[in-house]
Amino acid sequence: MANQKNADPALVQKKLAVLNPQLKALEEQRAACEDPRKQKTLEKKIEKVHDKIRQAKTGERFSRQTKRDFVAYSFIAPNFIGFAIFTLGPVIFAFVLAFLNWDGNNPISFAGIENFAKMFGNKRFLASLRNTVVYCLATVPLTLIAALGLAVILNQKVKGRNFFRTVSFFPYVASLVAVAAVWNMLFSPAKSGPVNMILYNLGVAAKDLPKWSAGKNWVMFTVILFSVWKNMGYYMVIYLAGLQGINAELYEASSLDGANTWQRFRYITWPQLQPTTFFVTIILTINCFKVYDIVYMLAGGNTGVLNESAIVLVYHIYEEAFRNWNLGYASAVSMVLFLIVLAITLVQFRGEKKYAN
């Protein structure tokens, strides 16, 4: 065979003189061991030694396990190569670039921590950080409440349940460009806008009508409202899966004890949904810190430039990198965003043991 060669008898005996005692010692350890986990570990080691002995006797270049590894790696190699070239490489370069000055044209120069020091004096960065935190603090609880409320209602045997589930989930899968255009039309700052027209007919003065995404005092509220409406259907589906995993016998027992609807929710539904709620909170928080497209579509206007009342971290990164061509500074801001998301992820890992099962 192509992977075999004539084995030198002297070399074979030399290898066997080392491998056979190892095999015997491992077999004795397995016979004396009573721990099932250690037994499995020893069995794997014994199998490897057997493979080495067979390889030494046949003169094969590669062991059986090595050939299996080659086959496995060949399947993942195309995807990993693409990931390494188009994702891992740029990410590593971005981390390095955070400590450099580069505009994409002139030579790269070392900046040290200068890019990080610039952040604290940059009003756009401070505004984007503040807006991102405000957006996150408002969007996460409102989306959780809306998604959980929808899930609880649509988990009941109500007429047209599947229809309302579909309608609730539709905004999440609909085109962002289309729904944002319709949303801006509905929430037009003019008196002729449908929402403002209703408010005007209810007695709100024309000068006091909200400017929605066109006004600096209302733009973040509009973005938060839109985000909750668009994403609550997705998290509703996750909550529905959690609700359907709750044992129905718990509700039957509570009904026999005379518990009302609120007591069943408080003492059965909510505790059982804690793992789901924790997962949804982490994922939703991370997505909120990465928000860009929603803010850009709603508050970008004709120029696509966000003012300080609407700017968020990801847009600030885009602005500095591809408008101002300050790639080193943009990479530094990206690293700050990465550290924030990493901190949230670490919280998830720490809380996983507490909320698991």
Side-chain angles (χ1 to χ4, degrees):
M1 295 178 66
N3 65 331
Q4 292 184 351
K5 61 181 180 180
N6 295 327
D8 185 359
L11 184 60
V12 171
Q13 293 300 323
K14 184 177 179 181
K15 290 181 179 180
L16 293 178
V18 176
L19 294 173
N20 285 328
Q22 290 181 2
L23 179 61
K24 184 178 180 180
L26 289 173
E27 290 176 343
E28 290 176 353
Q29 292 179 15
R30 183 183 61 178
C33 181
E34 297 180 355
D35 188 351
R37 293 183 178 179
K38 291 183 179 179
Q39 285 182 350
K40 289 183 180 180
T41 303
L42 291 171
E43 287 174 0
K44 291 181 180 179
K45 292 181 179 180
I46 290 172
E47 185 180 353
K48 289 183 180 180
V49 175
H50 273 299
D51 203 17
K52 290 181 180 179
I53 292 174
R54 184 188 58 80
Q55 183 182 1
K57 291 180 178 179
T58 59
E60 292 182 352
R61 296 180 181 179
F62 305 107
S63 66
R64 186 175 299 174
Q65 184 60 42
T66 302
K67 289 186 286 186
R68 290 174 182 172
D69 293 341
F70 281 153
V71 173
Y73 292 144
S74 66
F75 280 103
I76 66 173
N79 186 55
F80 178 78
I81 293 173
F83 167 77
I85 294 176
F86 298 107
T87 303
L88 183 61
V91 168
I92 295 174
F93 180 67
F95 274 93
V96 175
L97 193 59
F99 300 94
L100 305 173
N101 285 325
W102 190 40
D103 60 0
N105 186 25
N106 295 315
I108 298 176
S109 60
F110 182 72
I113 61 172
E114 179 183 349
N115 290 325
F116 295 93
K118 288 180 181 178
M119 296 180 194
F120 299 100
N122 191 321
K123 293 183 179 180
R124 298 279 288 178
F125 169 76
L126 296 177
S128 66
L129 181 60
R130 182 185 65 252
N131 292 336
T132 304
V133 173
V134 170
Y135 171 82
C136 182
L137 292 177
T139 303
V140 171
L142 290 176
T143 305
L144 284 175
I145 294 171
L148 180 58
L150 279 173
V152 171
I153 294 172
L154 297 180
N155 193 47
Q156 309 298 322
K157 294 181 180 179
V158 296
K159 189 176 181 180
R161 179 175 62 178
N162 293 333
F163 170 76
F164 288 110
R165 285 180 179 179
T166 303
V167 170
S168 300
F169 188 72
F170 178 77
Y172 180 77
V173 297
S175 169
L176 175 63
V177 176
V179 294
V182 173
W183 188 274
N184 277 334
M185 181 187 69
L186 293 174
F187 288 84
S188 172
K191 189 176 71 173
S192 58
V195 176
N196 275 358
M197 185 181 296
I198 295 173
L199 295 176
Y200 180 76
N201 292 329
L202 290 176
V204 180
K207 63 178 181 178
D208 297 329
L209 290 173
K211 297 298 182 182
W212 303 114
S213 59
K216 64 178 182 179
N217 296 327
W218 287 92
V219 59
M220 191 53 61
F221 173 80
T222 307
V223 171
I224 292 169
L225 195 64
F226 178 86
S227 299
V228 173
W229 170 77
K230 181 167 177 58
N231 296 321
M232 64 182 182
Y234 171 75
Y235 297 104
M236 175 202 69
V237 174
I238 298 177
Y239 269 122
L240 279 173
L243 287 170
Q244 293 172 7
I246 299 176
N247 192 346
E249 294 179 357
L250 296 174
Y251 293 108
E252 294 176 2
S254 65
S255 298
L256 294 175
D257 291 336
N260 56 33
T261 303
W262 168 249
Q263 289 172 334
R264 287 197 296 269
F265 174 81
R266 179 180 179 183
Y267 296 107
I268 298 176
T269 305
W270 180 246
Q272 293 290 319
L273 286 178
Q274 279 191 353
T276 305
T277 301
F278 186 78
F279 169 78
V280 169
T281 302
I282 295 299
I283 298 301
L284 186 55
T285 304
I286 292 174
N287 289 336
C288 285
F289 272 100
K290 297 189 299 181
V291 67
Y292 165 78
D293 49 357
I294 292 176
V295 182
Y296 185 83
M297 293 303 304
L298 289 179
N302 296 327
T303 61
V305 178
L306 300 179
N307 55 39
E308 292 185 5
S309 60
I311 188 173
V312 289
L313 277 174
V314 177
Y315 179 85
H316 183 58
I317 294 171
Y318 158 77
E319 182 181 51
E320 290 294 333
F322 301 108
R323 286 183 181 271
N324 301 332
W325 290 102
N326 194 350
L327 299 176
Y329 174 80
S331 298
V333 179
S334 300
M335 186 177 293
V336 171
L337 178 60
F338 167 78
L339 293 176
I340 294 173
V341 175
L342 177 62
I344 297 171
T345 306
L346 292 177
V347 170
Q348 179 188 16
F349 288 142
R350 284 183 172 271
E352 186 177 7
K353 295 181 180 179
K354 179 179 179 180
Y355 289 98
N357 301 321

